[in-house]
Amino acid sequence: MTYSIKTAVAAILAGGMVAAPALAKPMVLTNAKVHTVNAQAPSAEAVAIDDNGVILAVGSEEQALAAAGKDADVVDLEGMMLLPGFQDAHMHLIEAGVNEILCEFEPFDKLDGTLATVKDCMKSSKTEWVLGSGVSMNNLLDQSDNPIALLDKISPERPVLILDDIGHGAWANSAAMHAAGYDTLASDPPGGIILRNAKTGKPNGVVLENAQQKLRNLAFPDTPENVEFAYESLLPTLETVAENGITSVSDAGGFWPQGHVKVWQKAVANDTLTVRASNALYVYPDLPFDDQMASLKKLYSNDPTSLLRFNQAKIYADGILEQRTGAVLQPYLKGAGIDHGYDSGFLYFDVDTLDRYSSELSKVGFQLHYHVTGDRGARLALDAIEQSDPKPGPHRLTHLYLLDKADFPRFKQLGVVADFQLAPSSLDPEYNKFIRQFIGDRADLMMPAGTLAAMGADVVMSSDFDADELSPLVKIQAAVARKADGAPDVATAIEWMTINPARLLHQDKTTGSIEVGKFADLVVVDRDITEIPVKQIGKAKVVATLLQGEAVYDPDKMFEK
């Protein structure tokens, strides 16, 4: 029996990777432009899937029908493109969901508008803490030299915490700073920076890097109510991920003291997890080493039969270039950006502690997932990997805005994955112009994805959502359109978002390409993006997303029986 692409039913994933049969009976997807990401058989017209969501055949319609049997459901894709599901190896799903629900600020709003939003937030917030997100710390500090007083005037007793727009800072009032013990702290906490009023020496309400995490943990404690809040925030984000054709993710937040592990586990228990998730646990610079290692060991999970794993350790080597906290080999230019006293950037851990965590976590079995933006931060992370256990690898560095040329060959030599966010926002000439005021001509050499790939390094392309654009199609267009250090062609950019992250996430034997024996994690796109002009790729539409043969996104009811 054949079903038109105009009719279909959206099925919900029934559980884990090897759960009860995903489909009522085998299925054949035919009349498709299948881009397999399999060099031995790069294209096909049909795919057969068994009732466990495993691919039976890839080839002609005749071959697929023969493999599936006469009783198989047949879906005519009417010439549309079929790809392996996209895999986003660095994103922040829980944070993105929570940020959507918190009071929202415009990053570069005028101060009057920002304060008006704080007042509105005070009235609407029903929690103990007044919580918001989206303010640019650079913009705020350009408009006020003592931001804490502005919040204290609005809320003298109730703690207020406004997260920034890029995840590396926060703005708090005196009640919040007191709750964290920052009002009496004489120096910066481990891995963080407390900005101070130039006249009084007292905290001015803006904290950077890991200093925000203690405030976050206080505002979002691991309580049943907050876990439920975060879970309800995650659900629409999972829908957004499916809408973009993404079938595997790696959540790079991992704030386990806030109950984030429980949030993901709740999604599994409720059968609402619609992606494969290989997630990270955040390593806190301000926690005692032995205590934190004991906690991380207990939270580690790496069951290959589960949709959910916590098998990565998220280690921040440095901060970000726009706050002058990315660790650089040559000092920042003088006169621009936040003045915090660190002329060559900032390290979350001293070198010995970074190496110690890397070594011990890799021995436990964690893949090492380093945040680096500066060339010194990247070098220190590569040094740490060199003396760590390679067996859980590949380990990886993400962001990689600056990288010294002497370190380029080390990625292939050490088997380290280079993870880039080649989104329109990060490749925009205006962004390059903005960064240039901090690092000068070094801005011309940022994110050398194409060069590293040509040198034999494994390159993946992720989103860092919700800091950057989520759409894989938009990023593929941006990567191929990049004149220097982008993807050489569309097929390569697709690999950067399918089979390459599948290798990174230890699931290339079962996902990442359309091959017999792999799971039918697939995405249907309304046009063949390998044949259209590059500038039109971002306009292509995800029509359906399948996880192990089941439709987790299907707005047009393509598979309705």
Side-chain angles (χ1 to χ4, degrees), residues 193 195 324 338-345:
I193 300 171
L195 297 186
R324 300 167 62 98
I338 298 173
D339 182 13
H340 45 53
Y342 297 93
D343 294 336
S344 295

Side-chain angles (χ1 to χ4, degrees), residues 86-91 244 246 419-427 460-465 468-482 486-487 489-490 492-494 496-497 529 534 537-539:
F86 296 118
Q87 303 198 17
D88 195 323
H90 182 101
M91 61 195 321
N244 283 274
I246 298 166
D419 176 16
F420 293 94
Q421 292 83 46
L422 301 180
S425 56
S426 58
L427 301 179
V460 303
M461 185 161 58
S462 60
S463 68
D464 200 19
F465 178 73
D468 287 322
E469 296 91 341
L470 176 62
S471 169
L473 295 169
V474 167
K475 289 197 292 296
I476 288 170
Q477 174 179 317
V480 179
R482 193 183 191 195
D489 49 51
V490 176
T492 300
I494 292 172
W496 288 359
M497 294 213 70
I529 63 172
V534 171
I537 294 174
K539 298 178 182 178

Side-chain angles (χ1 to χ4, degrees), residues 182 185 187-194 196 208 210-212 286 342 346:
Y182 288 167
L185 201 61
S187 59
D188 288 334
I193 300 171
I194 297 174
R196 298 177 181 275
L208 305 178
N210 187 67
Q212 65 173 307
D286 53 336
Y342 297 93
F346 180 78

Side-chain angles (χ1 to χ4, degrees), residues 98 101-103 105 117-133 148 151-152 154-163 169-183 205 207 211-223 225-226 229 258:
V98 169
I101 295 175
L102 299 182
C103 295
F105 291 78
T117 303
V118 175
K119 293 175 183 177
D120 291 341
C121 192
M122 275 280 296
K123 295 176 183 177
S124 62
S125 176
K126 298 178 181 179
T127 57
E128 178 187 358
W129 286 58
V130 180
L131 301 167
S133 68
I148 195 169
L151 293 183
D152 285 349
I154 298 171
S155 179
E157 297 180 358
R158 199 171 163 200
V160 178
L161 179 64
I162 312 297
L163 307 175
W171 175 25
N173 70 346
S174 292
M177 295 293 280
H178 177 73
Y182 288 167
D183 54 341
V207 299
Q212 65 173 307
Q213 299 303 341
K214 191 169 185 179
L215 290 162
R216 283 177 178 252
N217 290 347
L218 289 168
F220 299 99
D222 181 3
T223 63
E225 294 78 13
N226 277 334
F229 168 72
Q258 298 175 30

Side-chain angles (χ1 to χ4, degrees), residues 35-38 55 84-85 87 498-499 502 508 510-516 518-519 521-522:
H35 185 83
T36 67
V37 194
N38 173 15
I55 296 172
Q87 303 198 17
T498 54
I499 192 63
D508 56 306
T510 54
T511 69
S513 61
I514 302 176
E515 299 183 59
V516 173
K518 290 193 173 185
F519 289 126
D521 292 0
L522 306 170

Side-chain angles (χ1 to χ4, degrees), residues 394 411-412 415-420 452-453 456-460 496 500 503-504:
F411 284 81
K412 182 180 180 181
V416 175
V417 172
D419 176 16
F420 293 94
L452 288 184
D458 268 347
V459 169
V460 303
W496 288 359
N500 286 16
R503 280 196 295 270
L504 170 63

